[in-house]
């Protein structure tokens, strides 16, 4: 019987890698964009860094779903397909971020700058809002799709149930935080919004990958959902 050890290691590596490159944009690029941008030249390199970090993250999350697919398919094919589809859509939404960054770079030297700094500032603010909305909708889809994944992990016992429960709680909080951010009630980059990321973040970057590296998936001889 297949143990899917390679899949387990690949998933663990991809979870860590996508989290780390995502943090590059969150902690290295986005803080520079909190205040109004007057001159793109001052932040152009960081914007390009954000473009490539988000692209790498977006591609990586699709490969996470691809690596999960043969493992989850044996337990619940519908959930395996659902998770893959949700992560592909998440990838597409995340790519809105690099497009917005490239748009900001393209504004340099264009007529909108010549027509007045206020118009330029307005354009940058709108572009960053579009990026944020795309990201938050992506997080909603990630939360929903990953709740299905954690349910499959829980019922199949591919990993200990406490890991499935932890992951489910983390993704539920992620889903809630994205909805509240879109509603303007919290900011996921600060305060309560950032705290809501912690359970899921720890699960993805440390707890779940570590378990996969050491133990891998437990493939039962018969699917026991009790």
């Amino acid at each position: 019987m297949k143990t899917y050890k390679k899949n387990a290691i690949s998933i663990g590596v991809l979870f860590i890698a996508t989290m780390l490159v995502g943090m590059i944009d969150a902690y290295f690029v986005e803080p520079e964009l909190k205040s109004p941008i007057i001159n793109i030249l001052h932040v152009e390199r960081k914007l390009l860094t954000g473009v490539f970090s988000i692209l790498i993250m977006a591609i990586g999350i699709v490969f996470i779903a691809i690596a999960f697919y043969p493992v989850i398919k044996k337990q619940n094919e519908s959930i395996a397909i659902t998770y893959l589809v949700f992560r592909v859509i998440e990838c597409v939404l995340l790519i809105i971020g690099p497009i917005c960054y490239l748009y900001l770079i393209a504004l340099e030297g264009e007529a909108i700058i010549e027509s007045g700094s206020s118009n330029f500032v307005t354009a940058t603010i709108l572009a960053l809002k579009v990026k944020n909305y795309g990201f938050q909708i992506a997080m909603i889809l990630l939360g929903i799709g990953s709740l299905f994944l954690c349910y499959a992990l829980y019922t199949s016992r591919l990993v200990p149930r406490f890991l499935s429960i932890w992951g489910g709680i983390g993704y539920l909080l992620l889903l809630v935080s994205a909805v509240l951010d879109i509603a303007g009630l919290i900011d996921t980059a600060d305060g309560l919004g950032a705290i809501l990321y912690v359970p899921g973040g720890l699960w993805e970057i440390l707890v779940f990958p570590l378990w996969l590296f050491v133990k891998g998936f437990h493939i039962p001889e018969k699917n026991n959902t009790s």
Side-chain angles (χ1 to χ4, degrees), residues 4 7 10 12 22 27 33 64 67 69 82 86 96 102 104 107 110 120 157 162 181 185 187 190 202 216:
Y4 297 104
N7 294 69
S10 297
Y27 298 107
L33 309 178
I64 290 175
Y69 183 79
T82 298
F86 271 62
I96 292 175
L102 291 174
L104 292 179
L107 288 179
E110 295 298 327
F120 175 70
R157 298 179 185 268
F162 83 90
D181 187 283
L185 299 177
D187 181 355
D190 193 18
L202 287 176

Side-chain angles (χ1 to χ4, degrees), residues 153-154 156-161 163-164 208 211-212 216-218:
L153 293 174
Y154 180 87
S156 64
R157 298 179 185 268
L158 289 169
V159 296
R161 283 187 161 177
L163 280 179
S164 306
F208 191 58
W211 180 269
L212 293 180
F217 293 109
H218 171 66

Side-chain angles (χ1 to χ4, degrees), residues 15-176:
F15 265 127
I16 294 173
T18 53
M19 282 285 290
L20 290 177
V21 294
M23 290 167 68
I24 292 174
D25 179 64
Y27 298 107
F28 179 71
V29 181
E30 287 195 351
E32 294 290 330
L33 309 178
K34 291 295 183 181
S35 56
I37 302 173
I38 304 300
N39 191 336
I40 290 295
L41 291 175
H42 292 165
V43 294
E44 184 173 350
R45 289 186 179 181
K46 289 195 174 184
L47 288 174
L48 288 173
T49 300
V51 167
F52 290 109
S53 65
I54 296 172
L55 284 176
I56 293 171
M57 177 179 65
I59 294 170
I61 63 176
V62 174
F63 279 98
I64 290 175
I66 291 173
F68 257 123
Y69 183 79
V71 183
I72 302 301
K73 181 182 177 182
K74 293 290 185 180
Q75 315 303 320
N76 191 316
E77 185 174 4
S78 297
I79 288 181
I81 295 173
T82 298
Y83 183 66
L84 178 59
V85 170
F86 271 62
R87 299 235 73 171
V88 169
I89 299 174
E90 177 193 352
C91 171
V92 173
L93 288 168
L94 287 175
I95 292 175
I96 292 175
I99 292 173
C100 289
Y101 283 167
L102 291 174
Y103 168 73
L104 292 179
I105 294 172
L107 288 179
E108 181 185 349
E110 295 298 327
I112 189 170
I113 297 179
E114 298 175 359
S115 65
S117 61
S118 61
N119 290 337
F120 175 70
V121 170
T122 300
T124 59
I125 291 173
L126 289 175
L128 294 175
K129 282 187 176 182
V130 170
K131 174 187 177 291
N132 182 64
Y133 287 142
F135 176 81
Q136 297 301 342
I137 295 173
M139 293 304 98
I140 291 174
L141 294 178
L142 169 60
I144 295 172
S146 297
L147 284 173
F148 282 112
L149 172 69
C150 290
Y151 172 78
L153 293 174
Y154 180 87
T155 57
S156 64
R157 298 179 185 268
L158 289 169
V159 296
R161 283 187 161 177
F162 83 90
L163 280 179
S164 306
I165 294 171
W166 185 338
I169 293 172
Y171 286 118
L172 179 61
L173 292 176
L174 175 68
L175 171 60
V176 170

